[in-house]
């Protein structure tokens, strides 16, 4: 056991090798690995003091600043390792003993980021992470400097940051996180002037966001709102304003902002909407309703809040809205409310969304009633919607599941969707499994063929879909 422990790469185990053996191993690796050689050289230079290490880093930074050659994919890994070694030297070798010197080098390292990214021809998440790590270390290094030195840092960081760059926000954000009250005041003034000097709204946006971060750090909600008002209608966020006002106990002020947040200019349409023929859905509706309900409750208008939730559920069949509604009901009232909600879903015009709601809640008996009541109206083209519902219904409601699987198989065959034959074969296999579970005459009562007759019928109608039937035979063998 002792031998096994010594063979592990731990500091204690390596110490037992002795300095001569370790030195030989380090020298061997340094000769073969240029990046490791730079780390070792920096460590040796540190014995002469941080200034000696800084000279090595300065030479590397100068080389980076002057370089113009492109870096393609085969070279990117070694380049990343080289940059990582430079950053590690700044943070690990210089930072602990000379934070002011390390800050200067780190700021220079970050100031050249745009030049580096322009040279790199391949996208690199590791490179992004490397510069993000560098940016987040500015604040911790700044706070370790003497007050006289810290006074000039905001202007220097702002000058080094690239307008509209996400890295600029990280750099300044790191400084703000460690700033004193007086430094926050300085930063706010600098950023205000920066916003005023930048003509392009897109480039000014991150600086205004940083000013809002400062306002929140100072517990200045009115200042934050004033900055939000300055934004264009396209990017102003009334819901964010309302949410902060409600959290601050100012619900009455939140309501006008919620009134001003009309349907989002860019809606979205999901698979359920397409199936139901809905052309556009407001992505902010749930959030807006939730905030309005919270504001109304805070103001003592609880029934209005509940009426709003119920009306929204009836329109959207959104289970989250229904859960919020149920959570606010008196004890035992939820049972009647749920019965009313499920009955509404079964009769809703948006049948596909109703099916998804009932199967996901889950209330499979009502989902089955919806499927069976509309058994000839389900469009098998929407198998992205119907398959999850059928899969959830299989065990408890085999008849409803069978109707949905049939609809999907029939469409795949009728349209000759060879790319979907694999799905169709799977649906047919599930129908074969479900057939013995159906009550005798269940399909006949709906005017539908038995499973065996239906299988024969699709074989006659679509017998020339050779690829499909070959796949069926292969799956059965």
């Amino acid at each position: 056991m002792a031998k096994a422990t010594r063979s592990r790469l731990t500091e204690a185990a390596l110490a037992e090798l002795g300095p001569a053996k370790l030195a030989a191993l380090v020298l061997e690796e340094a000769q073969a690995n240029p990046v490791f050689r730079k780390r070792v050289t920096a460590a040796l230079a540190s014995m002469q003091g941080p200034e000696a290490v800084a000279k090595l880093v300065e030479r590397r930074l100068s080389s980076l600043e002057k370089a113009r050659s492109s870096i393609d994919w085969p070279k990117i890994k070694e380049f990343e390792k080289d940059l990582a070694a430079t950053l590690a030297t700044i943070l690990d070798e210089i930072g602990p003993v000379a934070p002011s010197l390390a800050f200067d080098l780190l700021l220079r390292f970050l100031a050249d980021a745009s030049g580096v990214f322009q040279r790199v021809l391949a996208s690199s998440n590791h490179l992004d992470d490397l510069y993000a790590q560098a940016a987040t270390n500015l604040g911790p290094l700044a706070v370790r400097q003497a007050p006289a030195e810290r006074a000039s840092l905001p202007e220097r960081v702002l000058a080094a940051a690239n307008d509209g760059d996400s890295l600029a926000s990280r750099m300044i954000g790191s400084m703000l996180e460690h700033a004193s009250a007086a430094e926050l005041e300085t930063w706010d003034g600098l950023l205000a002037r920066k916003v005023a000097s930048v003509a392009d709204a897109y480039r000014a946006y991150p600086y205004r966001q940083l000013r809002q971060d400062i306002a929140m750090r100072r517990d200045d909600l009115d200042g934050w709102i004033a900055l939000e008002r300055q934004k264009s209608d396209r990017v102003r966020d009334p819901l964010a304003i309302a949410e902060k006002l409600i959290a601050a106990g100012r619900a009455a002020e939140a309501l006008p902002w919620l009134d001003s947040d009309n349907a989002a200019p860019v809606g979205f349409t999901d698979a359920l909407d397409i199936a139901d023929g809905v052309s556009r859905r407001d992505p902010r509706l749930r959030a807006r309703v939730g905030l309005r309900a919270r504001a109304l409750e805070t103001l003592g208008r609880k029934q209005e809040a509940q009426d709003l939730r119920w009306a929204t559920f009836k329109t959207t069949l959104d289970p989250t809205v229904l859960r919020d509604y149920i959570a606010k009901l008196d004890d035992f009232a939820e049972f009647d409310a749920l019965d009313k909600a499920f009955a509404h879903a079964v009769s809703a015009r948006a049948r596909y969304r109703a099916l998804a709601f009932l199967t996901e809640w889950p209330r499979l008996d009502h989902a089955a009633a919806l499927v069976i009541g509309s058994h000839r109206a389900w469009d098998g083209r929407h198998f992205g919607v119907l398959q999850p519902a059928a899969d959830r219904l299989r065990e408890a409601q085999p008849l409803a599941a069978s109707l949905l699987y049939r609809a999907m198989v029939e469409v795949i065959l009728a349209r000759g969707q060879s790319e979907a034959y694999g799905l169709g074969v799977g649906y047919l296999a599930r129908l074969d499994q479900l057939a013995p579970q159906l009550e005798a005459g269940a399909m006949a009562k709906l005017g539908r063929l038995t499973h065996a007759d239906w299988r024969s019928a699709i074989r006659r109608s679509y017998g020339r879909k050779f690829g499909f039937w070959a796949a069926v035979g292969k799956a059965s063998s």
Side-chain angles (χ1 to χ4, degrees), residues 169 172-173 176 184 206-219 224 227:
S169 294
I172 298 171
L176 297 180
L184 288 176
Y207 297 114
R208 186 176 282 113
Q209 291 294 103
L210 288 164
R211 289 196 68 201
Q212 288 186 296
D213 290 344
I214 293 172
M216 295 313 297
R217 289 179 185 278
R218 300 154 99 184
D219 293 323
W224 185 93
L227 289 165

Side-chain angles (χ1 to χ4, degrees), residues 389-416:
D391 289 346
R392 291 187 178 100
L393 289 165
R394 281 170 66 183
E395 185 174 344
Q397 301 291 339
L399 177 59
S402 296
L403 292 170
L404 297 180
Y405 286 131
R406 281 193 187 188
M408 292 184 283
V409 172
E410 289 168 356
V411 161
I412 289 171
L413 289 172
R415 296 168 65 90

